Amino acid sequence: MKSHNGAQSIVSELRLILRRGRQVWGLVPAGQKFALIAAALVMACTSACSTIIPLLLGHLVDGVTAGLGRNLGADTLYRLAAWILLILAGVYVAREALNVLRRYLIENSCTRINRDMSVRLVSHIMKGDLDTLHHDRVGALHGRMLRSVDGYLRFLRVGFLDLVPAFLTGIFALIASLFKQPLLGLIMLGVVPTTVFLTIRQLMSQKGVRLQLMRTCDDIDGAVVEQMSGLEYVRAANTHAQEVRRLARTCERRRAKEIRHHFQMALYGAAKALNEGFFHIIVLGLAIYLAVNGRISIGDVVMFSILFLNVMAPLSEIHRILDEGHEASLRVGDLLEMLHQPVDRSFKVPDRREPRLIAGADR
């Protein structure tokens, strides 16, 4: 029953992330949407370049090996290697140029969105109902405003700078592996269920920790602003030591939760790294077996090793992306809540209506 409830909670959190993604995309202005879509197309070209690199390396090893077997001269082998290395250098340059273009498009859009959303949120809060605003401490409200906009931007950055590039790179590498040697491609697919299982266990064990850390930050902000605002009273009452101890206890609670969270994350990270290494050894062993039996070349062994690492790129980052995406989705929830706070009645100006003349009214 407990595992069933945990699975349901994971599904509900994934649904929350997807729902927040739709809401975040709805808040993005139309002009910036086109820029982000263009960045996604650039990412596809970048992932294709990352897949071409191991193919060229495998071709280079095969070409040199075949040349040595046929006793070709050193000049011939040098020319062959030079051409392949020149193409490889061009692919590297093209990939990094596309990466620069991708980051520029995304960061340019994010900085513009950050500017507009910050102004929009502050403008809306300044018009908010005073009775509602008085329920929050000024420091906590200010910190929540800053972190909610930061979470909104982080949600976009995690998606377009981390998730989509890693996902596309893994898909391209897996397609290339299945095309070159279906058996090795299927072995690479075998790493997915174990990694996903470890990630789900990691999310279940860390559920709620991010939210607790977020709220502790709000408490620290509120306490500090209160202390600084009432600094004269603190000095007059000689309560400096008590206030510092109160803040120190809050900071210690956050530190204890944070270090426990980081330690457990490190354990799960080690488990996933061991899982990756185990499957990497299987892929290399099977590739060498196939090469010895003449079913693939020696260069293909190198190629499949690099393609496996490309397939693991999204899997090794999946928890960090989901974790940061979940935290960002909570921040987005705070942002949406503040944007939907009621406006004070003084800003609700009724529609102007032109006076109407009624026949016979002067009688």
Side-chain angles (χ1 to χ4, degrees):
M1 178 63 72
K2 185 176 180 181
S3 61
H4 179 67
N5 293 335
Q8 285 184 336
S9 64
I10 293 299
V11 172
S12 64
E13 289 184 5
L14 292 177
R15 288 178 178 174
L16 173 64
I17 294 175
L18 292 176
R19 185 169 69 252
R20 289 287 186 256
R22 291 193 297 269
Q23 292 171 331
V24 165
W25 188 249
L27 291 174
V28 176
Q32 307 311 322
K33 285 182 180 178
F34 289 121
L36 293 175
I37 292 173
L41 297 177
V42 174
M43 292 175 207
C45 298
T46 304
S47 299
C49 291
S50 298
T51 305
I52 292 173
I53 290 173
L55 298 178
L56 288 174
L57 289 175
H59 185 63
L60 174 62
V61 173
D62 287 339
V64 173
T65 303
L68 292 174
R70 289 182 294 177
N71 295 322
L72 296 180
D75 293 338
T76 303
L77 293 178
Y78 288 151
R79 282 196 298 270
L80 173 64
W83 275 109
I84 297 177
L85 292 176
L86 185 62
I87 296 173
L88 187 62
V91 174
Y92 272 117
V93 171
R95 187 184 68 175
E96 295 311 311
L98 290 172
N99 273 328
V100 171
L101 176 61
R102 172 179 65 92
R103 292 190 66 89
Y104 173 77
L105 290 172
I106 295 172
E107 293 295 349
N108 182 57
S109 298
C110 287
T111 53
R112 291 175 182 272
I113 294 170
N114 186 16
R115 176 198 62 193
D116 298 338
M117 183 54 67
S118 298
V119 173
R120 176 182 173 183
L121 180 59
V122 172
S123 175
H124 182 78
I125 292 297
M126 290 177 66
K127 293 181 179 180
D129 182 64
L130 294 179
D131 293 334
T132 304
L133 294 177
H134 286 162
H135 290 298
D136 294 321
R137 292 181 295 184
V138 175
L141 178 61
H142 179 250
R144 193 176 302 124
M145 290 171 62
L146 292 178
R147 280 188 287 272
S148 65
V149 176
D150 179 69
Y152 170 58
L153 270 298
R154 192 191 304 178
F155 200 99
L156 287 173
R157 286 192 173 101
V158 165
F160 284 93
L161 289 178
D162 297 328
L163 176 61
V164 176
F167 178 78
L168 290 176
T169 299
I171 291 296
F172 275 89
L174 192 57
I175 292 174
S177 300
L178 290 171
F179 180 78
K180 291 285 291 185
Q181 179 51 250
L183 180 59
L184 285 172
L186 292 176
I187 295 295
M188 291 182 186
L189 275 176
V191 74
V192 176
T194 310
T195 304
V196 171
F197 171 76
L198 290 172
T199 300
I200 291 176
R201 290 292 302 172
Q202 190 173 4
L203 288 172
M204 290 172 60
S205 67
Q206 302 303 303
K207 183 179 181 295
V209 176
R210 288 281 188 177
L211 182 60
Q212 294 174 7
L213 293 174
M214 285 167 50
R215 296 314 175 205
T216 305
C217 284
D218 294 340
D219 293 338
I220 293 174
D221 288 341
V224 170
V225 172
E226 279 186 350
Q227 291 169 352
M228 298 304 293
S229 300
L231 195 57
E232 294 180 357
Y233 172 79
V234 171
R235 293 182 179 178
N238 195 26
T239 59
H240 174 268
Q242 292 89 330
E243 294 294 335
V244 171
R245 282 197 297 269
R246 181 164 66 94
L247 180 61
R249 285 194 297 269
T250 304
C251 292
E252 175 59 23
R253 286 197 300 270
R254 173 178 171 79
R255 186 205 67 81
K257 292 178 182 178
E258 194 170 11
I259 190 61
R260 185 165 57 250
H261 171 67
H262 287 314
F263 178 71
Q264 293 175 351
M265 293 272 286
L267 291 178
Y268 278 105
K272 287 188 288 187
L274 291 173
N275 176 63
E276 176 184 346
F278 175 72
F279 274 92
H280 196 186
I281 292 172
I282 292 178
V283 169
L284 285 174
L286 183 58
I288 291 173
Y289 172 80
L290 294 175
V292 170
N293 287 273
R295 298 180 60 181
I296 62 174
S297 63
I298 298 298
D300 288 340
V301 176
V302 178
M303 179 194 69
F304 281 114
S305 177
I306 301 176
L307 287 176
F308 175 80
L309 296 178
N310 287 346
V311 171
M312 286 301 302
L315 295 176
S316 60
E317 294 290 324
I318 187 171
H319 177 266
R320 184 186 65 81
I321 292 172
L322 288 177
D323 201 20
E324 292 190 8
H326 180 245
E327 181 182 0
S329 68
L330 298 176
R331 298 292 187 191
V332 172
D334 289 342
L335 175 65
L336 295 173
E337 181 182 351
M338 287 186 285
L339 287 175
H340 288 91
Q341 285 184 358
V343 177
D344 192 82
R345 291 182 301 174
S346 60
F347 292 95
K348 296 179 180 179
V349 181
D351 296 335
R352 295 183 57 186
R353 297 181 179 178
E354 296 294 334
R356 292 185 301 170
L357 297 178
I358 303 175
D362 56 344
R363 295 180 183 176

mmCIF file of all heavy atoms in Angstrom, residues 48-88:
data_model
loop_
_atom_site.group_PDB
_atom_site.id
_atom_site.type_symbol
_atom_site.label_atom_id
_atom_site.label_comp_id
_atom_site.label_asym_id
_atom_site.label_seq_id
_atom_site.Cartn_x
_atom_site.Cartn_y
_atom_site.Cartn_z
ATOM 1 N N ALA A 48 22.457 16.162 -33.648
ATOM 2 C CA ALA A 48 22.913 15.417 -34.823
ATOM 3 C C ALA A 48 24.437 15.476 -34.947
ATOM 4 O O ALA A 48 25.089 14.471 -35.273
ATOM 5 C CB ALA A 48 22.246 15.975 -36.080
ATOM 6 N N CYS A 49 25.019 16.642 -34.676
ATOM 7 C CA CYS A 49 26.484 16.765 -34.711
ATOM 8 C C CYS A 49 27.127 15.872 -33.651
ATOM 9 O O CYS A 49 28.163 15.246 -33.899
ATOM 10 C CB CYS A 49 26.891 18.216 -34.487
ATOM 11 S SG CYS A 49 26.466 19.333 -35.864
ATOM 12 N N SER A 50 26.518 15.808 -32.452
ATOM 13 C CA SER A 50 27.063 14.965 -31.391
ATOM 14 C C SER A 50 27.021 13.494 -31.777
ATOM 15 O O SER A 50 27.866 12.698 -31.330
ATOM 16 C CB SER A 50 26.293 15.188 -30.090
ATOM 17 O OG SER A 50 26.424 16.522 -29.643
ATOM 18 N N THR A 51 26.033 13.097 -32.585
ATOM 19 C CA THR A 51 25.938 11.707 -33.036
ATOM 20 C C THR A 51 26.917 11.423 -34.168
ATOM 21 O O THR A 51 27.431 10.307 -34.297
ATOM 22 C CB THR A 51 24.504 11.405 -33.490
ATOM 23 O OG1 THR A 51 23.597 11.733 -32.430
ATOM 24 C CG2 THR A 51 24.335 9.940 -33.855
ATOM 25 N N ILE A 52 27.195 12.423 -35.003
ATOM 26 C CA ILE A 52 28.134 12.230 -36.114
ATOM 27 C C ILE A 52 29.557 12.000 -35.601
ATOM 28 O O ILE A 52 30.331 11.250 -36.212
ATOM 29 C CB ILE A 52 28.083 13.453 -37.059
ATOM 30 C CG1 ILE A 52 26.733 13.493 -37.781
ATOM 31 C CG2 ILE A 52 29.222 13.421 -38.064
ATOM 32 C CD1 ILE A 52 26.521 14.745 -38.613
ATOM 33 N N ILE A 53 29.908 12.595 -34.470
ATOM 34 C CA ILE A 53 31.285 12.505 -33.958
ATOM 35 C C ILE A 53 31.709 11.060 -33.703
ATOM 36 O O ILE A 53 32.775 10.632 -34.196
ATOM 37 C CB ILE A 53 31.433 13.379 -32.695
ATOM 38 C CG1 ILE A 53 31.372 14.861 -33.090
ATOM 39 C CG2 ILE A 53 32.740 13.077 -31.970
ATOM 40 C CD1 ILE A 53 31.336 15.811 -31.912
ATOM 41 N N PRO A 54 30.950 10.242 -32.946
ATOM 42 C CA PRO A 54 31.388 8.839 -32.776
ATOM 43 C C PRO A 54 31.406 8.050 -34.075
ATOM 44 O O PRO A 54 32.241 7.147 -34.251
ATOM 45 C CB PRO A 54 30.369 8.260 -31.780
ATOM 46 C CG PRO A 54 29.208 9.172 -31.823
ATOM 47 C CD PRO A 54 29.761 10.526 -32.128
ATOM 48 N N LEU A 55 30.510 8.380 -35.015
ATOM 49 C CA LEU A 55 30.531 7.690 -36.305
ATOM 50 C C LEU A 55 31.832 7.973 -37.050
ATOM 51 O O LEU A 55 32.433 7.075 -37.654
ATOM 52 C CB LEU A 55 29.330 8.118 -37.144
ATOM 53 C CG LEU A 55 27.935 7.798 -36.572
ATOM 54 C CD1 LEU A 55 26.845 8.323 -37.496
ATOM 55 C CD2 LEU A 55 27.772 6.296 -36.359
ATOM 56 N N LEU A 56 32.282 9.232 -37.006
ATOM 57 C CA LEU A 56 33.545 9.580 -37.662
ATOM 58 C C LEU A 56 34.740 8.927 -36.968
ATOM 59 O O LEU A 56 35.683 8.476 -37.629
ATOM 60 C CB LEU A 56 33.714 11.105 -37.671
ATOM 61 C CG LEU A 56 32.807 11.880 -38.632
ATOM 62 C CD1 LEU A 56 32.979 13.381 -38.428
ATOM 63 C CD2 LEU A 56 33.115 11.509 -40.076
ATOM 64 N N LEU A 57 34.703 8.868 -35.630
ATOM 65 C CA LEU A 57 35.799 8.224 -34.912
ATOM 66 C C LEU A 57 35.886 6.736 -35.262
ATOM 67 O O LEU A 57 36.980 6.182 -35.448
ATOM 68 C CB LEU A 57 35.607 8.401 -33.399
ATOM 69 C CG LEU A 57 35.818 9.816 -32.861
ATOM 70 C CD1 LEU A 57 35.477 9.880 -31.376
ATOM 71 C CD2 LEU A 57 37.260 10.269 -33.096
ATOM 72 N N GLY A 58 34.724 6.079 -35.336
ATOM 73 C CA GLY A 58 34.728 4.672 -35.740
ATOM 74 C C GLY A 58 35.262 4.495 -37.149
ATOM 75 O O GLY A 58 36.032 3.548 -37.425
ATOM 76 N N HIS A 59 34.881 5.395 -38.067
ATOM 77 C CA HIS A 59 35.381 5.326 -39.438
ATOM 78 C C HIS A 59 36.880 5.563 -39.491
ATOM 79 O O HIS A 59 37.605 4.923 -40.284
ATOM 80 C CB HIS A 59 34.650 6.361 -40.292
ATOM 81 C CG HIS A 59 34.986 6.301 -41.749
ATOM 82 N ND1 HIS A 59 34.714 5.209 -42.543
ATOM 83 C CD2 HIS A 59 35.608 7.216 -42.567
ATOM 84 C CE1 HIS A 59 35.126 5.439 -43.784
ATOM 85 N NE2 HIS A 59 35.673 6.656 -43.810
ATOM 86 N N LEU A 60 37.376 6.458 -38.636
ATOM 87 C CA LEU A 60 38.819 6.724 -38.597
ATOM 88 C C LEU A 60 39.592 5.481 -38.140
ATOM 89 O O LEU A 60 40.594 5.101 -38.770
ATOM 90 C CB LEU A 60 39.089 7.892 -37.650
ATOM 91 C CG LEU A 60 40.563 8.217 -37.371
ATOM 92 C CD1 LEU A 60 41.276 8.627 -38.650
ATOM 93 C CD2 LEU A 60 40.663 9.309 -36.316
ATOM 94 N N VAL A 61 39.124 4.843 -37.069
ATOM 95 C CA VAL A 61 39.807 3.643 -36.575
ATOM 96 C C VAL A 61 39.758 2.533 -37.623
ATOM 97 O O VAL A 61 40.767 1.845 -37.887
ATOM 98 C CB VAL A 61 39.173 3.181 -35.249
ATOM 99 C CG1 VAL A 61 39.759 1.839 -34.808
ATOM 100 C CG2 VAL A 61 39.391 4.221 -34.167
ATOM 101 N N ASP A 62 38.596 2.356 -38.250
ATOM 102 C CA ASP A 62 38.480 1.307 -39.276
ATOM 103 C C ASP A 62 39.384 1.586 -40.467
ATOM 104 O O ASP A 62 40.016 0.674 -41.032
ATOM 105 C CB ASP A 62 37.025 1.198 -39.743
ATOM 106 C CG ASP A 62 36.135 0.540 -38.707
ATOM 107 O OD1 ASP A 62 36.683 -0.171 -37.831
ATOM 108 O OD2 ASP A 62 34.911 0.733 -38.766
ATOM 109 N N GLY A 63 39.451 2.850 -40.884
ATOM 110 C CA GLY A 63 40.290 3.193 -42.033
ATOM 111 C C GLY A 63 41.758 2.957 -41.771
ATOM 112 O O GLY A 63 42.477 2.394 -42.618
ATOM 113 N N VAL A 64 42.221 3.364 -40.584
ATOM 114 C CA VAL A 64 43.634 3.160 -40.253
ATOM 115 C C VAL A 64 43.938 1.676 -40.094
ATOM 116 O O VAL A 64 44.982 1.177 -40.566
ATOM 117 C CB VAL A 64 43.990 3.940 -38.965
ATOM 118 C CG1 VAL A 64 45.405 3.605 -38.512
ATOM 119 C CG2 VAL A 64 43.858 5.438 -39.206
ATOM 120 N N THR A 65 43.022 0.932 -39.443
ATOM 121 C CA THR A 65 43.241 -0.508 -39.263
ATOM 122 C C THR A 65 43.296 -1.237 -40.614
ATOM 123 O O THR A 65 44.163 -2.099 -40.851
ATOM 124 C CB THR A 65 42.121 -1.102 -38.395
ATOM 125 O OG1 THR A 65 42.070 -0.406 -37.138
ATOM 126 C CG2 THR A 65 42.357 -2.578 -38.133
ATOM 127 N N ALA A 66 42.354 -0.892 -41.502
ATOM 128 C CA ALA A 66 42.349 -1.529 -42.827
ATOM 129 C C ALA A 66 43.594 -1.156 -43.619
ATOM 130 O O ALA A 66 44.170 -1.993 -44.337
ATOM 131 C CB ALA A 66 41.094 -1.109 -43.591
ATOM 132 N N GLY A 67 44.040 0.082 -43.514
ATOM 133 C CA GLY A 67 45.250 0.495 -44.222
ATOM 134 C C GLY A 67 46.484 -0.233 -43.738
ATOM 135 O O GLY A 67 47.352 -0.621 -44.535
ATOM 136 N N LEU A 68 46.575 -0.441 -42.420
ATOM 137 C CA LEU A 68 47.710 -1.189 -41.890
ATOM 138 C C LEU A 68 47.665 -2.641 -42.335
ATOM 139 O O LEU A 68 48.712 -3.251 -42.609
ATOM 140 C CB LEU A 68 47.717 -1.102 -40.357
ATOM 141 C CG LEU A 68 48.023 0.277 -39.756
ATOM 142 C CD1 LEU A 68 47.863 0.252 -38.240
ATOM 143 C CD2 LEU A 68 49.446 0.717 -40.124
ATOM 144 N N GLY A 69 46.435 -3.212 -42.403
ATOM 145 C CA GLY A 69 46.310 -4.598 -42.846
ATOM 146 C C GLY A 69 46.697 -4.778 -44.306
ATOM 147 O O GLY A 69 47.193 -5.848 -44.701
ATOM 148 N N ARG A 70 46.504 -3.761 -45.125
ATOM 149 C CA ARG A 70 46.858 -3.851 -46.557
ATOM 150 C C ARG A 70 48.248 -3.282 -46.846
ATOM 151 O O ARG A 70 48.608 -3.093 -48.002
ATOM 152 C CB ARG A 70 45.816 -3.107 -47.380
ATOM 153 C CG ARG A 70 44.468 -3.815 -47.425
ATOM 154 C CD ARG A 70 43.480 -3.062 -48.291
ATOM 155 N NE ARG A 70 43.143 -1.753 -47.714
ATOM 156 C CZ ARG A 70 42.348 -0.864 -48.310
ATOM 157 N NH1 ARG A 70 41.863 -1.128 -49.529
ATOM 158 N NH2 ARG A 70 42.074 0.282 -47.725
ATOM 159 N N ASN A 71 48.972 -2.947 -45.784
ATOM 160 C CA ASN A 71 50.344 -2.442 -45.917
ATOM 161 C C ASN A 71 50.417 -1.176 -46.773
ATOM 162 O O ASN A 71 51.319 -1.016 -47.607
ATOM 163 C CB ASN A 71 51.271 -3.516 -46.509
ATOM 164 C CG ASN A 71 51.435 -4.703 -45.581
ATOM 165 O OD1 ASN A 71 51.512 -4.534 -44.355
ATOM 166 N ND2 ASN A 71 51.472 -5.898 -46.159
ATOM 167 N N LEU A 72 49.438 -0.289 -46.580
ATOM 168 C CA LEU A 72 49.484 0.994 -47.289
ATOM 169 C C LEU A 72 50.590 1.856 -46.701
ATOM 170 O O LEU A 72 50.966 1.724 -45.538
ATOM 171 C CB LEU A 72 48.135 1.705 -47.164
ATOM 172 C CG LEU A 72 46.937 1.006 -47.820
ATOM 173 C CD1 LEU A 72 45.667 1.831 -47.603
ATOM 174 C CD2 LEU A 72 47.169 0.788 -49.303
ATOM 175 N N GLY A 73 51.067 2.764 -47.519
ATOM 176 C CA GLY A 73 52.142 3.631 -47.062
ATOM 177 C C GLY A 73 51.686 4.610 -45.995
ATOM 178 O O GLY A 73 50.498 4.895 -45.828
ATOM 179 N N ALA A 74 52.686 5.142 -45.296
ATOM 180 C CA ALA A 74 52.374 6.090 -44.224
ATOM 181 C C ALA A 74 51.706 7.345 -44.768
ATOM 182 O O ALA A 74 50.792 7.900 -44.148
ATOM 183 C CB ALA A 74 53.653 6.451 -43.472
ATOM 184 N N ASP A 75 52.138 7.800 -45.976
ATOM 185 C CA ASP A 75 51.538 9.008 -46.547
ATOM 186 C C ASP A 75 50.055 8.815 -46.827
ATOM 187 O O ASP A 75 49.238 9.715 -46.593
ATOM 188 C CB ASP A 75 52.260 9.387 -47.839
ATOM 189 C CG ASP A 75 53.698 9.817 -47.587
ATOM 190 O OD1 ASP A 75 53.978 10.214 -46.427
ATOM 191 O OD2 ASP A 75 54.506 9.754 -48.527
ATOM 192 N N THR A 76 49.689 7.642 -47.312
ATOM 193 C CA THR A 76 48.275 7.366 -47.591
ATOM 194 C C THR A 76 47.457 7.380 -46.311
ATOM 195 O O THR A 76 46.353 7.955 -46.253
ATOM 196 C CB THR A 76 48.128 6.003 -48.286
ATOM 197 O OG1 THR A 76 48.924 5.998 -49.486
ATOM 198 C CG2 THR A 76 46.673 5.736 -48.637
ATOM 199 N N LEU A 77 47.996 6.744 -45.272
ATOM 200 C CA LEU A 77 47.275 6.718 -43.988
ATOM 201 C C LEU A 77 47.179 8.116 -43.387
ATOM 202 O O LEU A 77 46.154 8.481 -42.795
ATOM 203 C CB LEU A 77 47.990 5.767 -43.021
ATOM 204 C CG LEU A 77 47.966 4.280 -43.394
ATOM 205 C CD1 LEU A 77 48.744 3.460 -42.386
ATOM 206 C CD2 LEU A 77 46.519 3.779 -43.484
ATOM 207 N N TYR A 78 48.224 8.901 -43.527
ATOM 208 C CA TYR A 78 48.192 10.270 -43.011
ATOM 209 C C TYR A 78 47.127 11.102 -43.713
ATOM 210 O O TYR A 78 46.403 11.893 -43.097
ATOM 211 C CB TYR A 78 49.562 10.937 -43.169
ATOM 212 C CG TYR A 78 50.615 10.397 -42.215
ATOM 213 C CD1 TYR A 78 51.962 10.420 -42.577
ATOM 214 C CD2 TYR A 78 50.256 9.872 -40.985
ATOM 215 C CE1 TYR A 78 52.933 9.928 -41.718
ATOM 216 C CE2 TYR A 78 51.227 9.373 -40.122
ATOM 217 C CZ TYR A 78 52.551 9.403 -40.489
ATOM 218 O OH TYR A 78 53.504 8.911 -39.644
ATOM 219 N N ARG A 79 47.056 10.941 -45.051
ATOM 220 C CA ARG A 79 46.038 11.702 -45.800
ATOM 221 C C ARG A 79 44.638 11.275 -45.393
ATOM 222 O O ARG A 79 43.749 12.113 -45.232
ATOM 223 C CB ARG A 79 46.253 11.488 -47.310
ATOM 224 C CG ARG A 79 47.385 12.300 -47.897
ATOM 225 C CD ARG A 79 47.295 12.352 -49.418
ATOM 226 N NE ARG A 79 47.414 11.003 -49.984
ATOM 227 C CZ ARG A 79 48.565 10.442 -50.336
ATOM 228 N NH1 ARG A 79 49.696 11.109 -50.160
ATOM 229 N NH2 ARG A 79 48.586 9.227 -50.859
ATOM 230 N N LEU A 80 44.426 9.971 -45.231
ATOM 231 C CA LEU A 80 43.115 9.475 -44.809
ATOM 232 C C LEU A 80 42.737 10.035 -43.434
ATOM 233 O O LEU A 80 41.625 10.540 -43.237
ATOM 234 C CB LEU A 80 43.133 7.946 -44.764
ATOM 235 C CG LEU A 80 41.871 7.272 -44.170
ATOM 236 C CD1 LEU A 80 40.658 7.564 -45.042
ATOM 237 C CD2 LEU A 80 42.096 5.771 -44.007
ATOM 238 N N ALA A 81 43.687 9.949 -42.499
ATOM 239 C CA ALA A 81 43.422 10.456 -41.149
ATOM 240 C C ALA A 81 43.213 11.968 -41.165
ATOM 241 O O ALA A 81 42.350 12.499 -40.452
ATOM 242 C CB ALA A 81 44.572 10.085 -40.213
ATOM 243 N N ALA A 82 43.974 12.669 -42.013
ATOM 244 C CA ALA A 82 43.852 14.129 -42.055
ATOM 245 C C ALA A 82 42.467 14.550 -42.549
ATOM 246 O O ALA A 82 41.859 15.483 -42.009
ATOM 247 C CB ALA A 82 44.947 14.709 -42.953
ATOM 248 N N TRP A 83 41.964 13.866 -43.581
ATOM 249 C CA TRP A 83 40.640 14.209 -44.095
ATOM 250 C C TRP A 83 39.549 13.963 -43.043
ATOM 251 O O TRP A 83 38.662 14.794 -42.837
ATOM 252 C CB TRP A 83 40.344 13.401 -45.358
ATOM 253 C CG TRP A 83 40.901 14.020 -46.608
ATOM 254 C CD1 TRP A 83 41.938 13.580 -47.364
ATOM 255 C CD2 TRP A 83 40.441 15.232 -47.225
ATOM 256 N NE1 TRP A 83 42.166 14.423 -48.422
ATOM 257 C CE2 TRP A 83 41.256 15.447 -48.369
ATOM 258 C CE3 TRP A 83 39.442 16.150 -46.933
ATOM 259 C CZ2 TRP A 83 41.090 16.541 -49.206
ATOM 260 C CZ3 TRP A 83 39.265 17.249 -47.781
ATOM 261 C CH2 TRP A 83 40.095 17.428 -48.898
ATOM 262 N N ILE A 84 39.625 12.821 -42.383
ATOM 263 C CA ILE A 84 38.606 12.513 -41.375
ATOM 264 C C ILE A 84 38.702 13.478 -40.191
ATOM 265 O O ILE A 84 37.690 13.964 -39.676
ATOM 266 C CB ILE A 84 38.741 11.049 -40.911
ATOM 267 C CG1 ILE A 84 38.483 10.102 -42.081
ATOM 268 C CG2 ILE A 84 37.767 10.754 -39.769
ATOM 269 C CD1 ILE A 84 38.656 8.628 -41.739
ATOM 270 N N LEU A 85 39.944 13.761 -39.775
ATOM 271 C CA LEU A 85 40.120 14.696 -38.652
ATOM 272 C C LEU A 85 39.676 16.099 -39.028
ATOM 273 O O LEU A 85 39.147 16.845 -38.184
ATOM 274 C CB LEU A 85 41.584 14.701 -38.206
ATOM 275 C CG LEU A 85 42.079 13.406 -37.545
ATOM 276 C CD1 LEU A 85 43.570 13.508 -37.249
ATOM 277 C CD2 LEU A 85 41.297 13.120 -36.265
ATOM 278 N N LEU A 86 39.874 16.475 -40.294
ATOM 279 C CA LEU A 86 39.421 17.791 -40.747
ATOM 280 C C LEU A 86 37.897 17.876 -40.703
ATOM 281 O O LEU A 86 37.324 18.884 -40.247
ATOM 282 C CB LEU A 86 39.934 18.052 -42.167
ATOM 283 C CG LEU A 86 39.645 19.448 -42.745
ATOM 284 C CD1 LEU A 86 40.315 20.521 -41.907
ATOM 285 C CD2 LEU A 86 40.098 19.527 -44.195
ATOM 286 N N ILE A 87 37.237 16.810 -41.169
ATOM 287 C CA ILE A 87 35.764 16.781 -41.092
ATOM 288 C C ILE A 87 35.312 16.794 -39.641
ATOM 289 O O ILE A 87 34.346 17.492 -39.272
ATOM 290 C CB ILE A 87 35.227 15.536 -41.822
ATOM 291 C CG1 ILE A 87 35.571 15.605 -43.316
ATOM 292 C CG2 ILE A 87 33.720 15.417 -41.638
ATOM 293 C CD1 ILE A 87 35.217 14.344 -44.085
ATOM 294 N N LEU A 88 36.023 16.041 -38.797
ATOM 295 C CA LEU A 88 35.681 16.007 -37.374
ATOM 296 C C LEU A 88 35.831 17.389 -36.736
ATOM 297 O O LEU A 88 34.982 17.818 -35.935
ATOM 298 C CB LEU A 88 36.577 14.994 -36.660
ATOM 299 C CG LEU A 88 36.261 14.697 -35.199
ATOM 300 C CD1 LEU A 88 34.871 14.099 -35.056
ATOM 301 C CD2 LEU A 88 37.306 13.752 -34.620
#
